[in-house]
């Protein structure tokens, strides 16, 4: 089959997408994907399930180590196969086309769809709260679904328009989220009334089941460390990006 003269030529890795994402945009993709609704939703749930201080810190540390191992593994694979598609490419190269095909459809219909819903719903709730509306009462509770769907449509449109606009918005939102979290931490130390004695007061004996359930929530909060691999075919200098990991 002949190639259209208007189609961009494939690079040495076989991708035809323009590589316009630089180092900082790639970092923004990673940070922006990781810092999402999970970190704002899960801490209170985990503290309720694992109320003792040491096990509660332990589940966060264990989840962080597991996420770090996964991120380092993905970094090596992304350097070896700097192609768009991420896990799809790795499964295809390692296990064949059929498992990759099945994963691709599962990602489209289940994994990514549910993840988008889980991320956009907290955004919609916080957005309504910023407008002075309680998202838990009607009719505001119904508005949450419409705002979440609208956020998905706007984000998808920006990605469709081009990587330049999407990376600009991503850099802006990532800086905003990171700044907000840094401000919360600073305010906790400046105006907070905490007491280190709280770390010695166990709220109960955690069970293995609750610890494992909390670990799932922690991994959800850390989720996003592999999303940069999906746009590997748009990263401008993959060697510099991998050296910075």
């Amino acid at each position: 089959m002949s190639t259209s003269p208007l189609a961009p030529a494939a690079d040495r890795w076989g991708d035809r997408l323009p590589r316009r994402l630089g180092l900082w945009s790639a970092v923004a993709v990673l940070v922006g994907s990781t810092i999402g609704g999970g970190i704002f939703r899960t801490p209170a749930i985990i503290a309720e399930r694992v109320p003792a201080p040491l096990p509660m810190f332990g589940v966060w540390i264990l989840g962080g180590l597991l996420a770090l191992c996964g991120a380092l593994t993905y970094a090596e694979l992304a350097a070896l196969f700097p192609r768009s598609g991420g896990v799809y490419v790795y499964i295809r190269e390692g296990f064949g086309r059929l498992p990759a095909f099945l994963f691709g459809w599962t990602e489209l219909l289940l994994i990514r769809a549910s993840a988008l819903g889980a991320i956009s719903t907290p955004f919609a709730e916080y957005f309504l709260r910023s407008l002075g509306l309680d998202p838990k009462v009607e009719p505001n509770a119904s508005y949450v679904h419409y705002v979440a769907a609208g956020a998905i449509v706007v984000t998808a449109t920006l990605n469709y328009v081009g990587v330049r606009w999407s990376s600009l918005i991503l850099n802006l939102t990532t800086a905003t989220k990171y700044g907000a979290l840094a401000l919360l931490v600073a305010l906790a130390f400046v105006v907070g009334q905490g007491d280190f004695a709280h770390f010695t007061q166990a709220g109960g004996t955690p069970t293995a089941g609750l610890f494992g359930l909390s670990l799932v929530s922690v991994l959800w909060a850390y989720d996003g460390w592999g999303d940069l691999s999906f746009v590997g075919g748009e990263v401008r200098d993959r060697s510099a990006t991998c050296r910075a990991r």
Side-chain angles (χ1 to χ4, degrees):
M1 183 174 63
S2 61
T3 303
S4 171
L6 298 179
D11 59 20
R12 58 193 177 105
W13 295 290
D15 258 306
R16 298 180 183 274
L17 294 172
R19 294 183 178 271
R20 294 176 179 171
L21 289 178
L23 173 60
W24 292 111
S25 294
V27 171
V29 171
L30 182 62
V31 176
S33 300
T34 304
I35 302 178
I39 191 59
F40 297 102
R41 283 295 188 89
T42 56
I45 299 174
I46 294 171
E48 182 180 358
R49 293 172 179 168
V50 189
L54 288 179
M56 184 176 65
F57 281 112
V59 72
W60 282 101
I61 293 173
L62 178 59
L65 291 175
L66 291 174
L68 177 62
C69 291
L72 293 176
T73 302
Y74 267 38
E76 296 296 335
L77 290 170
L80 185 61
F81 303 108
R83 304 283 304 275
S84 295
V87 186
Y88 168 82
V89 176
Y90 311 150
I91 294 178
R92 186 188 63 193
E93 297 295 331
F95 302 101
R97 299 179 62 88
L98 178 59
F101 173 82
L102 296 176
F103 169 80
W105 278 104
T106 304
E107 175 79 12
L108 176 64
L109 299 178
L110 295 177
I111 301 175
R112 193 56 51 180
S114 59
L116 289 175
I119 294 171
S120 60
T121 299
F123 165 79
E125 292 176 349
Y126 285 122
F127 179 76
L128 291 177
R129 284 194 178 98
S130 67
L131 298 179
L133 303 175
D134 187 354
K136 295 186 179 299
V137 299
E138 293 293 347
N140 303 333
S142 299
Y143 296 159
V144 170
H145 305 291
Y146 296 108
V147 174
I152 294 175
V153 171
V154 170
T155 306
T157 302
L158 289 172
N159 281 276
Y160 177 80
V161 169
V163 67
R164 182 171 300 175
W165 276 100
S166 60
S167 61
L168 176 63
I169 298 300
L170 183 61
N171 291 340
L172 179 61
T173 55
T174 299
T176 302
K177 289 188 292 185
Y178 192 86
L181 287 176
L183 180 61
L184 286 175
V185 172
L187 289 176
F189 281 98
V190 174
V191 302
Q193 299 178 353
D195 191 336
F196 281 101
H198 295 162
F199 293 107
T200 62
Q201 298 174 3
T205 303
T207 64
L210 288 176
F211 187 89
L213 191 60
S214 299
L215 182 59
V216 173
S217 299
V218 168
L219 292 176
W220 163 245
Y222 285 135
D223 188 40
W225 45 264
D227 287 354
L228 179 59
S229 64
F230 287 100
V231 294
E234 299 175 74
V235 176
R236 187 163 53 238
D237 186 356
R238 56 113 181 180
S239 59
T241 305
C242 294
R243 287 197 303 269
R245 69 182 190 273

